Structures are given as structure tokens and as C-alpha cells.
Amino acid sequence: MGTVLDSDASPVRLALVAEDPLARGALSRALSEQAGDIAVIASGTLAEVESSRAGDAPDVVLWDVGLHPSEVGGRMEAPELGAPVLALVPDESAGEGALSTGARGLLFRDVAPAPLWAALRAVARGLSVFDPALSALRATPRAGASASAPEGLTPREREVLALLAEGLSNKAIAERLDISEHTAKFHVNAVLAKLGVQRRTEAVVRAARMGLVTL
Amino acid sequence: MGTVLDSDASPVRLALVAEDPLARGALSRALSEQAGDIAVIASGTLAEVESSRAGDAPDVVLWDVGLHPSEVGGRMEAPELGAPVLALVPDESAGEGALSTGARGLLFRDVAPAPLWAALRAVARGLSVFDPALSALRATPRAGASASAPEGLTPREREVLALLAEGLSNKAIAERLDISEHTAKFHVNAVLAKLGVQRRTEAVVRAARMGLVTL
DNA sequence: TCCCGACCTACCCGAATGGCTAGTCCCCCT
DNA sequence: AGGGGGACTAGCCATTCGGGTAGGTCGGGA
């Protein structure tokens, strides 16, 4: 942070951390298709990136925790590279772990490119960024209250439920998830069925009562 | 989403809401110095912007709650312009209030330009953005936050709102209140209008957040 | 007295919703 | 290799919603 000019134009220097080469490649490729104000200065597994640390530290670390973060080992080990970490998680449970390791932001792994770029820049500027569906985790100790039935609900359905709780219409949900309105309806129906209700409003109320979503 | 290019290049359409003309001017000026991918399509006080709503809705609302949001009146009234709201608050206490009105992001008023741009883009993409010092909020069970405005809502409307929060259809509400379905719709519409929402689900969420109903 | 607000009823119409059936990928598990 | 499940797309159809407009009654305050 210094001159006036660096305010926005200065490229964001990014360190990309992912154990899975495939995921790393996909992210790296997607990143490179960017206008150019995001520069990948390091990429590799956690060990690789931490060792290859060449003089200049990144502005932000994009950390893909992978599909099965729990299998990796006892606890999740977050990158420690002197920069805020934006974690990509497969689901809510992984989000808790990532947060506890100090992640500054939390997005789902399948986030669309545009939001990802925006999030990276925001985190690089020192902000915290969350997917709305994950923002409930913030500082929430999650007192084992998971009790309810997240089971039965697939990840996609939980995602839809979260948007449902935002009061979005099917069309809006479709746009947000970048799927067809038909599919959005499909998922909404699945949620309604699994929650045993007829109306989306009911679904939101029940979900809120069960702690599936945070209003 | 279609081409690669639209992913990030598409300009963000912003509505700027601030009661204080000075603050508005400062923000507006700062905004205009931007590269150009943020277009201010509306600017003014809450009332002004909400009324001048010209056809196309913004992608994001930048809302400056001012220096003394508590003095304004009993409760904070958030912009409801069909877009996620990024609130600029003077301190943590104001943050709680802003959150309870549904703000999607929370930054301090004196945030630097760069983080602000980044945050605006992220919120426009559907993400939640917080200043790290504020991200711990939300966990607080909206202590004094309730206080809200049962005023504005007539007794009958509050009654309808309660049934709305049960997920009842217009017909069901009509039967429960022993009035015609037409009348039920009438009251529901009144509630929607007074809460500033389009969908009954939204109404329930907002009402819950404001403490008007208990889920 | 007259006006106003709360409350109630009614009709029209386009959009949204939910319910149903059906089909395609893809991946995992047996 | 085959089965099953999740994610996605699709069309059809009846109902519900939401918005707008246009009334009606009643009680209280100006």
C-alpha cells in the first residue's frame, strides 16, 4: 500500500496451493485466462510452495483443500506464506476446518471464475470473503448442533436451500448457480420433498428451525 | 455465463446510498476515478435512490450508514433495491445493525479505495465480504438489534405476517383468519410492500432478522 | 360534517411455482 | 458391466403468487 496508483491497477500476486495437480492445473489455467491483473508467482503442493518461497511474498494465497480434506490427516494444515489465505472447500464441514487454520476467506471449490477473481482481489486487500452459504460459519463454534439432518440433502441441495433462504426466485437461483431454471426448480423440489413441505417459504422456516441455514 | 470475456470484464452497476451529501460526494468522486468497470447508475439519499429506480436494477448497493446511525431513528433502514448491500459503518455496533437489516458485506467507512473496489465486485458476484475486524459479528445473537418497527404494520398485517412465517398459502391464511382469499392477498401485499420485498419468502426472512416474528 | 386510515371484498392478468415424467452424463461401488 | 445415485436438462400443466385497479364499510379526528 503506497502510492495512489497502486490502488487497483497493481496486479495481485498469487500463490496457488493444491495437493492435487489436476485441481491446481485447472485453477492455474482459469487464472491465466484472466485479464492479467492476477499473477501466479507460485504454484504447487503445500510443501513445494512453502519451500520454493522466492524472496517476494504473495499478496494472497489460494488454497484448495481438496475433495477429502479429512482424509489428509488429523488436522488441516494451512499454508503459512505471510499472506491471507482464501480457501476453496468442498462443503461446510471442510469450511470449519479451514477457518480454524486461519483462512481469511471461504468459497466452494466449484465457484465460478468471476466471483473467484473478485474474492482474490478482496482478500489480497485484507478483507474477509465468504460464500453466503458459508458465512454462517464465521466465528460460530458450531456446538455440535449439527444434530439435524443435513444428511439426505446433497451438497447441491444445501446450496440451493441457502439461496432459497435468501428469498431468491427459481430464476435468480438458476442465475446464481449458473444452471438452467429447470434444474433450479428440480433442486428446489428435491429440497421441498426432503424437508417434507409444499412451499419454499415452509422450507426456509423449517430449515432455519433445524439450523440448516442461518437467517 | 457465456464467453470467457464476460466473466470479469462486465462492468458492475452500482447504486450509491448515503444521507450525507458530503460523504456521497467523496465516495462518488473516488468511484469515478476508477478504471471504469464500476458504473454508478444511481446516487442519493435512501429515499431518492429508491424512488428514482429506473427500470434496471443495480448489481450492488453501496450504503453509507453515516457517522451516527443510531441517531437517525429507532431502527436502521437498509436500502432495498433488489441487489446485495455493502454497508459502510463507523464502528462495530453500527455493524450489527446493518447486518440485521440484511447487509451482505460490512466495511469500515474509512476503508481504502482499493479494498472497496474489490469488495464491491465480490458482493456484486454474490459473495459476502467483511472487514476482518467485523467478521466476528453475526455470531452475536442480535442482542439489542430487535427493537425494530412493528409500527407501520397494522395489527392485521402482523397477524398475516405471522401466518406467512408459517409458510401458509394465501388460501390457508384466508381460512385461518376467516376472511376471503382476496383479502388475504391484499394483506400479504401490504406486508410485502411495507417490508420492501417482492417475495413472501423474503418477507419472512427479513421479518425474522428484524425480530418481527420468531421462527 | 368530512376526510382519512384500517379493514375488507372483488376482478384481471402475467409471472412464478410445484408436481410429474423422462432422459442424458458421469462417477462410484459391487 | 452393471447398477445406483447425483447433477443436469426438458416439457407439460394446474395452481399459486404478485401487481394493479376499483371499489365497500366503519370509527375517529380535523
Side-chain angles (χ1 to χ4, degrees):
Chain A
M1 296 293 173
T3 66
V4 193
L5 291 180
D6 77 342
S7 65
D8 200 62
S10 68
V12 171
R13 291 182 309 160
L14 172 106
L16 176 55
V17 173
E19 302 308 309
D20 178 8
L22 264 180
R24 205 161 58 232
L27 286 171
S28 186
R29 203 173 322 114
L31 253 342
S32 67
E33 289 173 1
Q34 239 334 67
D37 61 336
I38 295 187
V40 180
I41 65 169
S43 172
T45 67
L46 178 54
E48 288 170 358
V49 174
E50 277 186 333
S51 61
S52 78
R53 175 159 31 169
D56 51 346
D59 293 320
V60 57
V61 177
L62 179 57
W63 176 37
D64 174 33
V65 304
L67 257 184
H68 309 292
S70 51
E71 295 178 358
V72 174
R75 86 185 184 84
M76 232 180 278
E77 196 166 359
E80 192 51 56
L81 302 168
V85 174
L86 175 62
L88 295 177
V89 300
D91 53 44
E92 292 86 346
S93 59
E96 292 186 47
L99 261 191
S100 70
T101 67
R104 208 44 167 310
L106 230 46
L107 298 181
F108 287 116
R109 290 185 84 224
D110 61 357
V111 62
L116 179 56
W117 311 151
L120 283 172
R121 292 199 199 89
V123 172
R125 307 292 185 207
L127 303 178
S128 294
V129 179
F130 295 84
D131 183 289
L134 290 167
S135 67
L137 292 181
R138 261 175 312 141
T140 316
R142 225 5 162 209
S146 53
S148 44
E151 22 281 357
L153 282 197
T154 70
R156 199 52 155 176
E157 287 163 355
R158 278 194 292 277
E159 209 167 348
V160 169
L161 177 56
L163 295 179
L164 220 44
E166 298 285 335
L168 298 190
S169 68
N170 287 337
K171 177 180 294 188
I173 292 174
E175 287 170 359
R176 194 73 84 73
L177 296 182
D178 198 29
I179 57 181
S180 83
E181 190 175 343
H182 283 296
T183 305
K185 261 170 56 171
F186 173 85
H187 290 306
V188 168
N189 278 326
V191 171
L192 294 183
K194 288 185 177 176
L195 290 185
V197 298
Q198 277 68 32
R199 255 159 291 283
R200 63 218 279 114
T201 306
E202 279 185 274
V204 171
V205 174
R206 288 183 74 89
R209 285 184 180 154
M210 296 195 298
L212 290 182
V213 298
T214 309
L215 295 188
Chain B
M1 300 299 170
T3 67
V4 193
L5 291 182
D6 78 339
S7 66
D8 199 60
S10 64
V12 172
R13 292 181 309 160
L14 172 104
L16 175 55
V17 174
E19 302 309 308
D20 177 10
L22 266 180
R24 205 162 58 234
L27 286 170
S28 187
R29 204 173 321 115
L31 253 340
S32 67
E33 289 172 2
Q34 241 331 69
D37 61 336
I38 295 186
V40 181
I41 64 170
S43 172
T45 66
L46 177 55
E48 288 172 357
V49 175
E50 277 186 334
S51 62
S52 77
R53 177 158 30 170
D56 50 350
D59 295 318
V60 58
V61 177
L62 178 58
W63 175 39
D64 174 32
V65 304
L67 256 185
H68 309 290
S70 52
E71 294 178 358
V72 174
R75 85 185 184 86
M76 227 181 279
E77 196 166 1
E80 191 54 52
L81 302 167
V85 175
L86 176 62
L88 295 177
V89 300
D91 51 47
E92 292 85 349
S93 60
E96 291 188 47
L99 264 190
S100 71
T101 65
R104 208 42 166 314
L106 229 48
L107 298 181
F108 287 116
R109 292 184 82 225
D110 60 359
V111 62
L116 179 54
W117 310 151
L120 283 172
R121 292 201 200 88
V123 172
R125 307 288 185 213
L127 303 178
S128 294
V129 179
F130 295 84
D131 184 289
L134 290 168
S135 69
L137 290 182
R138 179 62 142 186
T140 58
R142 38 178 142 282
S146 60
S148 44
E151 26 278 0
L153 284 195
T154 70
R156 199 53 156 174
E157 286 164 352
R158 277 195 291 279
E159 208 168 351
V160 170
L161 177 55
L163 297 178
L164 218 44
E166 296 291 333
L168 299 190
S169 69
N170 287 336
K171 177 180 294 186
I173 291 174
E175 287 169 358
R176 194 75 81 75
L177 295 182
D178 196 32
I179 58 181
S180 85
E181 189 176 344
H182 293 296
T183 306
K185 255 170 59 170
F186 173 86
H187 289 307
V188 169
N189 276 327
V191 170
L192 294 184
K194 287 185 178 178
L195 290 185
V197 298
Q198 277 69 30
R199 259 160 289 285
R200 51 179 58 240
T201 306
E202 279 184 273
V204 172
V205 173
R206 286 183 70 85
R209 286 210 256 246
M210 297 196 300
L212 291 181
V213 299
T214 310
L215 296 187

